[in-house]
Amino acid sequence: MGPGDLKEILQHLPQIKDADVLVGLDSSDDAGVVLLNDEVAIVQTVDYITPICDDPYLYGQIAAANALSDIYAMGAKPFTALNLCNFPPKSISKETLAKILQGGLEKLNESGAKLIGGHTIKDEELKYGLAVTGLVNPQKIITNSGAKIGDKVILTKPLGTGMSVEAYKKNNITYEVFHNILSVMARLNKKASEIMLKYQVHACTDITGFALVGHSLNIAEKSKVTIQFEVSKLPIYPAALTEFKKGNKTGVSKAISNTYESKIHFSDNVPDYYKEVFFDPQTSGGLLICVDEKDSAKLLIELLANGITASVCGAILEKRDYPLIALMNC
Ligand code: CO
Ligand code: CO
Ligand code: CO
């Protein structure tokens, strides 16, 4: 099942018409938002993933960072969380499960969210993640729909996690290299989100399973604009780029490119291996921030000063034939 099928299925669910639902099912945004009162809106999201590494503690950390990320993409603060865990009791020991949950809890503590419960169920395949509730000032919600012509586009983590996971499985990269990538995946988008809130940010999303192409398309379509990427400016893990250059692809990227390739126009000088970067599904990827042009340099400098691997990699244009355009250099 590809991302297009999911959209199709969701279309058949009844639409909720409720003035207090500020961001609902129909919006394809990062999280749902409902108004509690004039000062506070509740932001809710759920994400869980299968293991992407052998280290249970690190897997728990990454799953939690990935689940918390949608709260940060909306400009909200995590408040409470619930664990979700499907586990195979025959192949996963209690000790391993405990380490996964400890890893998740460590990230929750870092986020400031309180773990208040959870649910576990037996399953053939291990899966772990969280349902997270955040709080936001209803005037300050950052959605996918506010990008403005002239905005600069900033990405706050390198791309290529999908390719890196695959490359490690095939022994194409060392554990040392892979571990460095995993530790970036375990990093919260907390600091990046807090920093962006100081500037005139018009739209934001986080890059996860639908790859750069799918998540940026949400912003382009909801904001009724075209996003122009400068391919040479995209942050990419060097090890992943090497794999792309070898012509390697991930299992999932084909479904993603089938769904989205008609939405993106690549200029003739963009090599095929760079196109694959757009179709590489991310786990716990960075924030894609659309910021007012006059604030973009200041935002970038503050992100970099805080050790965040960010770059200005695109701009918002008026709506063209294609919602997404990728040039090698602008
Ligand atoms: Co998201
Ligand atoms: Co999500
Ligand atoms: Co959003």
Side-chain angles (χ1 to χ4, degrees):
M1 194 173 81
D5 301 308
L6 186 62
K7 204 170 184 179
E8 156 86 30
I9 292 164
L10 290 175
Q11 268 169 7
H12 297 298
L13 290 182
Q15 304 281 318
I16 296 170
K17 294 265 177 276
D18 184 323
D20 287 343
V21 177
L22 305 181
V23 180
L25 250 188
D26 53 327
S27 79
S28 63
D29 218 304
D30 294 295
V33 185
V34 62
L35 198 63
L36 195 61
N37 57 47
D38 289 348
E39 280 90 46
V40 184
I42 289 179
V43 184
Q44 286 193 300
T45 180
V46 56
D47 267 281
Y48 67 155
I49 57 172
T50 54
I52 49 164
C53 60
D54 299 330
D55 180 334
Y57 192 76
L58 198 46
Y59 164 51
Q61 289 185 313
I62 292 169
N66 188 61
L68 285 158
S69 180
D70 282 328
I71 300 288
Y72 293 127
M74 306 296 287
K77 296 217 179 323
F79 184 52
T80 59
L82 304 168
N83 274 327
L84 292 165
C85 190
N86 297 20
F87 75 104
K90 287 196 186 101
S91 56
I92 299 291
S93 69
K94 276 188 220 156
E95 292 73 25
T96 301
L97 188 56
K99 280 183 191 152
I100 294 168
L101 299 179
Q102 278 162 14
L105 183 60
E106 198 217 74
K107 286 287 145 182
L108 275 185
N109 289 341
E110 189 186 331
S111 80
K114 294 172 249 308
L115 183 70
I116 55 169
H119 180 70
T120 50
I121 188 168
K122 283 181 201 167
D123 192 353
E124 270 154 39
E125 186 184 34
L126 180 63
K127 299 172 190 89
Y128 170 63
L130 300 123
V132 187
T133 299
L135 301 177
V136 69
N137 177 331
Q139 311 300 322
K140 295 189 175 157
I141 303 165
I142 299 174
T143 67
N144 289 345
S145 57
K148 291 189 169 48
I149 294 158
D151 284 356
K152 295 291 181 194
V153 177
I154 293 180
L155 182 58
T156 68
K157 277 190 193 182
L159 297 162
T161 69
M163 177 51 89
S164 303
V165 171
E166 196 104 339
Y168 180 66
K169 274 188 204 152
K170 291 180 185 158
N171 285 320
N172 286 348
I173 57 172
T174 64
Y175 186 69
E176 198 188 350
V177 169
F178 187 46
H179 193 269
N180 285 335
I181 296 169
L182 291 171
S183 56
V184 180
M185 291 158 88
R187 214 175 275 167
L188 294 180
N189 283 325
K190 178 177 196 263
K191 193 77 202 169
S193 179
E194 287 169 357
I195 293 170
M196 86 169 167
L197 291 174
K198 298 196 218 168
Y199 298 95
Q200 259 198 60
V201 166
H202 297 139
C204 180
T205 192
D206 59 333
I207 308 301
T208 52
F210 296 152
L212 178 61
V213 68
H215 294 284
S216 59
L217 182 66
N218 280 337
I219 289 186
E221 288 186 335
K222 288 291 161 184
S223 301
K224 301 183 176 67
V225 295
T226 283
I227 303 179
Q228 176 176 274
F229 287 100
E230 187 168 1
V231 175
S232 61
K233 297 278 171 64
L234 288 173
I236 305 168
Y237 293 107
L241 189 60
T242 304
E243 294 300 306
F244 287 122
K245 282 184 180 169
K246 285 193 241 165
N248 290 340
K249 293 178 184 187
T250 65
V252 195
S253 70
K254 190 72 206 152
I256 292 176
S257 68
N258 284 345
T259 304
Y260 296 118
E261 64 192 349
S262 65
K263 304 286 186 180
I264 182 161
H265 177 74
F266 292 99
S267 70
D268 292 344
N269 60 350
V270 176
D272 284 344
Y273 63 83
Y274 262 127
K275 295 179 188 168
E276 281 301 313
V277 175
F278 284 81
F279 303 129
D280 187 54
Q282 303 302 289
T283 302
S284 194
L287 300 180
L288 190 79
I289 302 170
C290 302
V291 58
D292 197 281
E293 194 193 358
K294 69 169 173 45
D295 277 358
S296 63
K298 282 180 278 180
L299 172 55
L300 180 68
I301 287 166
E302 190 166 349
L303 289 168
L304 293 173
N306 280 275
I308 295 164
T309 317
S311 72
V312 176
C313 59
I316 303 297
L317 311 180
E318 65 189 77
K319 196 172 174 223
R320 309 255 177 109
D321 289 346
Y322 288 89
L324 304 175
I325 296 174
L327 309 179
M328 198 58 201
N329 295 292
C330 291

